[in-house]
Amino acid sequence: MPTYRFRYFNLRGLGEVPRLLFALAGQDYEDVRIPSEAWATEKPNTPLGQMPVLDIDGKPFCQSSAISRYLARTFGFYGNGDLEALQVDQALGVVQDVITAFLKSKFEKDAAKQEELMKEMKEVKIPLYFGMFEKLLKNNGSTGYFVGKKISLADVSLFDLCDKVQPLVKFADYPLVKKCNENVGENPKIKAWVKKRPVTDF
């Protein structure tokens, strides 16, 4: 088994899905959290001048989605075969749409514009995208998983997303999303990680 070293800031942010996958797999790794004030020094040591970075036997790789997909395939959380992988990927596409819209609103510097974007996020985009999640979960037989009857990268990614956008979502309106979120959150390995992970703002 390779030696893994995962480098990211002391945030959940773009680094939490890989950490959740390590936890779910029961795989040891070095969780390196770079202080923001040390980023200028660390930046030249990354492949593309950005984090997260996954070092595999000392060789660095970047891009959070690429890292998550690699870990999911390696640990068996990417479905069985190409069609199930496609099911995972279509859910991940919706997750990314939500994240893109959410980050745009969260980091808008103009206060009035930010309020407008957050309102649109809550009233328009969350219902749109979470309605899509409901459809995908229903199409899988309402099992509470996106693929079959076990956790995949899609479920882990939705769990992480729900954590980030929780104040904007009325989960009672999305029972299958709620069920999926609970399925992941109640997994003993995930539960143990969430309990012990550092408390961060985002």
Side-chain angles (χ1 to χ4, degrees):
M1 181 64 69
T3 298
Y4 296 111
R5 182 171 182 257
F6 185 69
R7 290 182 274 156
Y8 191 56
F9 300 107
N10 186 31
L11 301 169
R12 297 187 306 281
L14 297 175
E16 196 61 16
V17 171
R19 293 179 184 133
L20 288 164
L21 290 169
F22 277 122
L24 190 60
Q27 174 62 50
D28 290 333
Y29 72 106
E30 185 180 358
D31 184 15
V32 179
R33 294 176 181 246
I34 308 297
S36 56
E37 61 270 20
W39 172 232
T41 302
E42 180 69 16
K43 188 174 181 178
N45 299 323
T46 67
L48 298 177
Q50 56 187 213
M51 291 197 295
V53 173
L54 176 64
D55 297 305
I56 305 174
D57 290 337
K59 185 173 182 179
F61 299 89
C62 64
Q63 289 294 328
S64 58
S65 61
I67 291 169
S68 295
R69 285 178 163 88
Y70 165 80
L71 293 175
R73 286 193 298 268
T74 300
F75 300 150
F77 302 121
Y78 217 119
N80 295 317
D82 291 341
L83 279 179
E84 289 196 355
L86 181 58
Q87 285 180 264
V88 172
D89 284 336
Q90 66 180 354
L92 294 179
V94 182
V95 170
Q96 187 56 56
D97 288 341
V98 181
I99 290 174
T100 299
F102 177 66
L103 292 180
K104 182 179 179 182
S105 58
K106 183 176 177 65
F107 293 107
E108 171 59 49
K109 294 180 180 179
D110 182 271
K113 179 66 173 175
Q114 184 183 49
E115 184 177 352
E116 179 185 324
L117 288 172
M118 277 295 186
K119 185 173 185 292
E120 181 186 21
M121 187 76 195
K122 185 173 183 177
E123 297 178 1
V124 179
K125 294 189 175 180
I126 288 293
L128 171 65
Y129 293 129
F130 274 65
M132 292 180 183
F133 289 136
E134 284 288 301
K135 289 178 183 178
L136 293 176
L137 289 162
K138 184 177 180 180
N139 288 343
N140 188 48
S142 302
T143 62
Y145 301 101
F146 283 106
V147 180
K149 296 180 181 179
K150 65 178 185 177
I151 294 178
S152 72
L153 172 58
D155 307 304
V156 173
S157 297
L158 179 63
F159 175 78
D160 179 60
L161 177 68
C162 288
D163 178 49
K164 290 177 169 63
V165 302
Q166 185 174 0
L168 302 174
V169 183
K170 185 179 177 183
F171 286 99
D173 292 341
Y174 311 102
L176 295 179
V177 169
K178 184 173 182 288
K179 184 177 180 180
C180 181
N181 192 42
E182 290 172 350
N183 282 346
V184 177
E186 290 171 2
N187 177 278
K189 292 178 179 178
I190 293 292
K191 186 181 290 187
W193 167 248
V194 170
K195 185 177 181 179
K196 77 174 186 178
R197 71 185 177 187
V199 177
T200 60
D201 291 335
F202 178 70

